[in-house]
Amino acid sequence: EEARRMRGLLFASVSHDLRSPLNAILGFSDLINDTQLSDSQKESLSVIKERAREFLTLIQTILDAARVEAGQLVLQRQTVNLDECVYDATRVVRRCSDESCAPIMTEINLAIPPLSLDRERMADAIAALLRHAVRTAERMVTIRADVTPSQREVIVDIEVPTHSTTAEEISKIIRSDGALSRFAGGLTLGLSLARSVVVLHGGDVQVIDSSWGIVVRVRLPLNGDSKQE
């Protein structure tokens, strides 16, 4: 328990120390972007900004994973339309994805009632699932959302056309305990953290096999009840 506590403190400290210079890099990149640049300079600056944003996301993921492990992650709930969270998530993923990543199509039922969510963390969780999806999909990724027939849950399905992985493999990563100790990359840690955030909202994440690939299914309660992992 002492080692776990010290590890959490280490990640929290290092994450804070890394975010400050990264924010400075991003800030000065924006200032430089407003000056007169050649095409090659603009391209180089774009790479710097994209990679810095990716690094900033990874740092936040590590910090949140440490908080989850220590039972210290607190949700800041508000009444949110689910399509707003999905929009935030897809915007981030599209901005950080390169040409080799699959495109994203959204089909969200706008009649879904507002949910009690931590908008930022839920958007980050969906983005983590989408980020893995677009990097493994062989063609367009589709994200759908609707209310179940029982009117008790909202289902968010991320359809990933791929034959390079199976539902069992992804499910093991998503449901892994002690994610920090078995950290094998930003995407891996992000998937585990995404499920933790969904579980804190009272939901869960399932991975289902399909003839054309896998479906990552996020289940969220309509009543907004939360629970701890």
Side-chain angles (χ1 to χ4, degrees), residues 119-140:
R119 175 171 175 170
E120 183 178 350
R121 295 198 187 282
M122 183 56 66
D124 288 344
I126 296 173
L129 298 173
L130 277 175
R131 195 174 291 115
H132 184 273
V134 300
R135 295 190 181 185
T136 57
E138 297 162 4
R139 55 184 185 276
M140 182 178 290

Side-chain angles (χ1 to χ4, degrees), residues 9 11 28 38 63-66 74-75 96 103 115 123 130 136-137 141 160 165 169 180:
L9 289 173
F11 278 120
F28 279 102
S38 67
L63 181 57
D64 282 349
V74 179
L75 300 179
C96 295
L115 304 176
L130 277 175
T136 57
V141 171
V160 189
T165 188
E169 291 170 343
L180 288 176

Side-chain angles (χ1 to χ4, degrees), residues 17-125:
D17 291 340
L18 288 174
R19 276 187 298 183
S20 295
L22 267 176
N23 284 324
I25 291 171
L26 285 168
F28 279 102
S29 296
D30 287 336
L31 291 175
I32 295 172
N33 195 50
D34 294 333
T35 63
Q36 191 170 9
L37 301 172
S38 67
D39 291 341
S40 61
Q41 288 174 325
K42 289 180 180 179
E43 184 177 351
S44 298
L45 184 61
S46 177
V47 172
I48 292 172
K49 292 172 68 175
E50 288 176 9
R51 295 298 176 260
R53 288 193 189 101
E54 288 178 7
F55 195 16
L56 199 58
T57 299
L58 176 58
I59 291 170
Q60 187 60 49
T61 299
I62 294 172
L63 181 57
D64 282 349
R67 286 172 175 160
V68 167
E69 192 174 45
Q72 297 175 345
L73 187 65
V74 179
L75 300 179
Q76 303 296 323
R77 287 179 178 268
Q78 56 183 305
T79 302
V80 180
N81 291 323
L82 184 61
D83 63 297
E84 296 174 356
C85 279
V86 173
Y87 171 77
D88 291 345
T90 54
R91 179 173 54 84
V92 168
V93 174
R94 284 168 177 155
R95 184 181 65 191
C96 295
S97 299
D98 55 38
E99 295 180 357
S100 65
C101 294
I104 304 170
M105 180 175 70
T106 60
E107 294 185 7
I108 311 299
N109 183 352
L110 299 181
I112 296 174
L115 304 176
S116 176
L117 303 173
D118 184 321
R119 175 171 175 170
E120 183 178 350
R121 295 198 187 282
M122 183 56 66
D124 288 344

Side-chain angles (χ1 to χ4, degrees), residues 150-212:
S150 67
Q151 300 292 309
R152 297 179 62 185
E153 288 183 314
V154 172
I155 299 294
V156 181
D157 279 348
I158 300 174
E159 300 177 357
V160 189
T162 179
H163 293 92
S164 63
T165 188
T166 65
E168 183 180 3
E169 291 170 343
I170 301 302
S171 185
K172 284 180 179 178
I173 296 173
I174 289 178
R175 294 181 173 274
S176 62
D177 295 322
L180 288 176
S181 62
R182 294 200 295 270
F183 174 58
L187 287 177
T188 300
L189 183 59
L191 291 176
S192 179
L193 176 61
R195 177 180 176 266
S196 296
V197 169
V198 173
V199 168
L200 286 172
H201 280 86
D204 201 2
V205 180
Q206 301 170 298
V207 190
I208 305 166
D209 270 319
S210 173
S211 59
W212 41 261

